Amino acid sequence: MPDHAAKEVLPANLQEHRAVKAWRKLQPEWFETDQIEILKLKTKSAVYRLSGVGPDGSAIIAKRCPTATAVVEKAIYDQFLTRLPLPALACHGLVMEPEGESCWLFVEDAGQHAYSPALEDHRALAGRWLGTVHRVPVSAELQALLPDRGPAHYLKLLRSAREVMVNLVESPVLTADEVALLRTVIEHYRVIEARWDELEKFCGAWPRTMVHGDFVIKNLRLQNGASAPALLVYDWEMAGWGVPATDLAQSLGRCASPDLEAYCAALRQNGSQTEFGELRRLANYGNLLRLVDKIFWDTVGIGGETRDFLLRPILALKNYEPQLAAALRLLDWGTA
């Protein structure tokens, strides 16, 4: 769905910006910022970098999002990431907006050193990081907060998106090629659902754990360490309790493509007997589930029937369809 959020014009006095005002509720001392960078701007969410307002003049990331999402993210920062034997970003707190539906989450800035899946050492670092995270116990209190990220969650997304696509097939504003594309994706979905019991059985044999849910390039940064670079991971709004398949997705769009051998080695430090072939198949399922997730978000929010509303999801499906076909081939799911 097209994003119709108005372009934001920053106030002449940056201290009057809504994000700075919210930050000052946490930090009443006068921290003047000389720069506000708009990182994301949507109708119901926004992310800004506030320069110079953090400890020792550091930058702070201010994220406006639904309160329910922010509460889970803050719990992950406070109750889980602080227990990792790894560097992690600090969460500086949460500020509710008056109506209570949205709030501001303030997190340490991760810096500008980007992650690249084209670099083997980056992928190995991501594999070790994930393997460490997935073997750390999660408290019962935090588990209760985390949304489900098991196979049932993705089956709901698949069915919702398919219903939208089936309805779109009859749209008079689509070309014959676009209708054919929709029918192809719908057929892929028929194959996936016909084999869903196989996926559920395989994933059911894996222990559930904390999963990031959006382990992609834009949510990762590297930090210089004393002896080696460290990985910093943020944006936990899609995190949940489930099987780590999507975190392990490989060579798919903007995914991190963590090194599976490094991941396996990290798990084995905790006595895991994970076989590499089984791990590879879990990652293949992760490719499929990742695409189901992406297609859902690009189709289910369609808010109109004109071509302007349909163009973006159709373009997204043109990109996803060959990837979906490839994911099915990896699983030998060419036919139902």
Side-chain angles (χ1 to χ4, degrees):
M1 180 176 66
D3 181 16
H4 296 296
K7 298 297 182 182
E8 180 173 3
V9 177
L10 297 176
N13 180 1
L14 297 181
Q15 317 321 313
E16 294 300 315
H17 189 272
R18 56 180 182 165
V20 177
K21 287 182 176 180
W23 172 245
R24 288 175 58 198
K25 290 181 180 179
L26 282 179
Q27 299 290 336
E29 300 87 354
W30 186 256
F31 289 100
E32 288 198 8
T33 182
D34 59 3
Q35 183 179 13
I36 298 176
E37 184 179 353
I38 303 171
L39 302 180
K40 183 171 80 170
L41 185 61
K42 293 187 176 182
T43 305
K44 295 184 179 180
S45 64
V47 183
Y48 304 92
R49 178 180 288 111
L50 311 181
S51 296
V53 302
D56 301 319
S58 61
I60 293 294
I61 301 300
K63 178 178 180 179
R64 182 181 184 269
C65 56
T67 299
T69 299
V71 167
V72 174
E73 278 203 75
K74 185 176 186 300
I76 291 171
Y77 280 109
D78 293 347
Q79 300 176 33
F80 183 73
L81 295 179
T82 54
R83 297 176 53 238
L84 293 180
L86 298 167
L89 297 171
C91 178
H92 293 291
L94 182 153
V95 174
M96 300 284 292
E97 291 193 338
E99 78 285 355
E101 294 182 2
S102 297
C103 67
W104 291 89
L105 185 70
F106 295 95
V107 180
E108 176 186 359
D109 184 19
Q112 302 293 321
H113 191 173
Y115 173 93
S116 173
L119 300 176
E120 291 185 9
D121 57 335
H122 286 201
R123 295 182 61 240
L125 183 60
R128 291 192 295 272
W129 187 92
L130 274 179
T132 301
V133 167
H134 290 164
R135 73 173 192 253
V136 172
V138 178
S139 69
E141 178 185 2
L142 182 53
Q143 282 186 41
L145 279 177
L146 295 174
D148 173 53
R149 290 294 180 262
H153 164 74
Y154 293 97
L155 183 58
K156 289 178 182 178
L157 301 187
L158 182 147
R159 288 172 171 168
S160 294
R162 181 179 57 197
E163 182 178 354
V164 172
M165 289 186 286
V166 167
N167 291 333
L168 284 180
V169 164
E170 303 300 326
S171 173
V173 302
L174 297 181
T175 67
D177 285 346
E178 290 166 345
V179 170
L181 172 66
L182 284 170
R183 293 190 186 280
T184 299
V185 177
I186 291 168
E187 174 60 18
H188 289 331
Y189 270 29
R190 183 192 68 79
V191 172
I192 294 169
E193 188 161 9
R195 306 290 291 268
W196 196 264
D197 287 347
E198 179 184 325
L199 181 152
E200 238 176 12
K201 182 178 179 180
F202 184 89
C203 291
W206 288 78
R208 291 202 163 208
T209 184
M210 166 78 73
V211 294
H212 184 277
D214 198 19
F215 199 64
V216 296
I217 297 169
K218 68 181 179 67
N219 295 329
L220 310 180
R221 290 291 185 273
L222 270 67
Q223 178 189 62
N224 291 328
S227 58
L231 191 69
L232 298 176
V233 181
Y234 51 95
D235 200 354
W236 291 81
E237 65 181 56
M238 300 303 295
W241 185 246
V243 178
T246 56
D247 286 355
L248 299 173
Q250 299 287 306
S251 303
L252 189 69
R254 304 286 290 170
C255 286
S257 301
D259 184 275
L260 298 182
E261 291 185 354
Y263 176 83
C264 202
L267 287 184
R268 286 172 179 165
Q269 291 180 21
N270 206 37
S272 169
Q273 300 300 313
T274 301
E275 294 183 5
F276 186 77
E278 295 294 283
L279 182 61
R280 170 65 68 179
R281 188 159 186 84
L282 183 66
N284 289 345
Y285 282 125
N287 288 353
L288 191 69
L289 296 178
R290 175 77 186 161
L291 286 164
V292 166
D293 184 80
K294 292 294 292 180
I295 290 171
F296 170 81
W297 289 109
D298 276 304
T299 59
V300 82
I302 293 172
E305 296 181 355
T306 66
R307 186 160 181 82
D308 286 345
F309 279 97
L310 300 181
L311 185 59
R312 180 175 173 179
I314 290 296
L315 289 175
L317 286 177
K318 286 181 180 178
N319 179 49
Y320 295 141
E321 189 281 323
Q323 297 179 51
L324 194 57
L328 290 171
R329 287 194 297 270
L330 281 175
L331 293 166
D332 297 322
W333 282 11
T335 58

